[in-house]
Amino acid sequence: MKVTAFLGSPRVNGNTDMLTMKLLDGAKQAGCDTEAVALRRLKIRPCVGCEKCWTKERPCAFHDDMIGLYETIASSDVLVFATPVYWYAPTAIMKAFIDRLVPFNRPQGRPLIEGKDAILITAYEEEGPTAAEPLLRMFDLSFEYLGVNLVDRLVVDGVGSKGAVLEKPEALDRAFEIGRKLKG
């Protein structure tokens, strides 16, 4: 089983990254092949709604780093979407990535994503669930639209400063266990 995590945080080794790497450690222990893709290192243009992905064999009119990610997504069994909450939503880099998933909605793209499992990891500074609710709803609707199965989510509040999640060992343990439950 291949587990690919898409890191949507602009902050290197921040709380969201730490949680995701723990999940991948658990998945490795379960015998899975794992990969982490740091979206912050890639050039992904925003979707412009040109709909060329619907009329051509190419997955997109743009020739940026997202083109290579289409094969990565298609060859993965589990997709991990990891993003902190920024203004009650995913980061801009995660949102651009999600917007560019449109080619998987084409008739020839649908079988490449439909039925895959997804895991959502999010961390944020505010206390309580309210700040994450819009983000969680957006991902629920997006996964449903793509025919992707949300199998687990990890939502960690109260971790604004870099490394604050280290003071929440239960969250790190839960991330590891989510990964360990995956079957390699």
Side-chain angles (χ1 to χ4, degrees):
M1 175 179 289
K2 182 178 177 189
V3 179
T4 303
F6 298 95
L7 304 171
S9 178
R11 185 162 60 181
V12 178
N13 297 320
N15 298 311
T16 305
D17 284 7
M18 287 183 203
L19 291 164
T20 306
M21 298 318 289
K22 278 292 189 185
L23 181 144
L24 293 178
D25 287 345
K28 283 180 197 170
Q29 190 179 87
C32 299
D33 292 326
T34 64
E35 180 180 0
V37 177
L39 298 176
R40 65 182 158 263
R41 293 187 181 130
L42 304 177
K43 300 278 191 252
I44 299 175
R45 294 182 60 180
C47 179
V48 295
C50 69
E51 297 185 2
K52 287 187 180 172
C53 60
W54 285 85
T55 61
K56 296 186 177 190
E57 284 300 311
R58 295 183 313 186
C60 187
F62 293 131
H63 296 284
D64 59 10
D65 293 331
M66 188 68 190
I67 297 301
L69 294 182
Y70 292 128
E71 177 55 36
T72 301
I73 293 165
S75 67
S76 298
D77 301 295
V78 179
L79 307 170
V80 180
F81 294 79
T83 180
V85 175
Y86 275 28
W87 288 94
Y88 313 103
T91 61
I93 54 179
M94 176 59 77
K95 185 62 168 81
F97 171 73
I98 292 166
D99 287 351
R100 292 283 299 279
L101 295 179
V102 170
F104 290 109
N105 222 23
R106 307 179 303 165
Q108 64 269 41
R110 179 61 76 170
L112 300 174
I113 199 167
E114 200 166 44
K116 290 188 184 293
D117 289 339
I119 297 169
L120 175 61
I121 296 178
T122 189
Y124 55 99
E125 183 173 9
E126 291 183 38
E127 300 282 341
T130 303
E133 288 171 358
L135 177 143
L136 298 176
R137 182 72 176 138
M138 186 216 72
F139 274 101
D140 286 346
L141 291 170
S142 298
F143 294 153
E144 182 180 328
Y145 187 68
L146 288 169
V148 173
N149 307 309
L150 177 63
V151 296
D152 214 332
R153 69 167 53 140
L154 178 59
V155 181
V156 182
D157 67 343
V159 289
S161 61
K162 188 172 183 177
V165 76
L166 296 173
E167 297 174 20
K168 294 194 172 208
E170 69 285 352
L172 294 164
D173 291 346
R174 171 115 162 74
F176 184 85
E177 286 304 311
I178 291 170
R180 199 174 65 75
K181 288 180 187 173
L182 299 171
K183 303 296 181 214

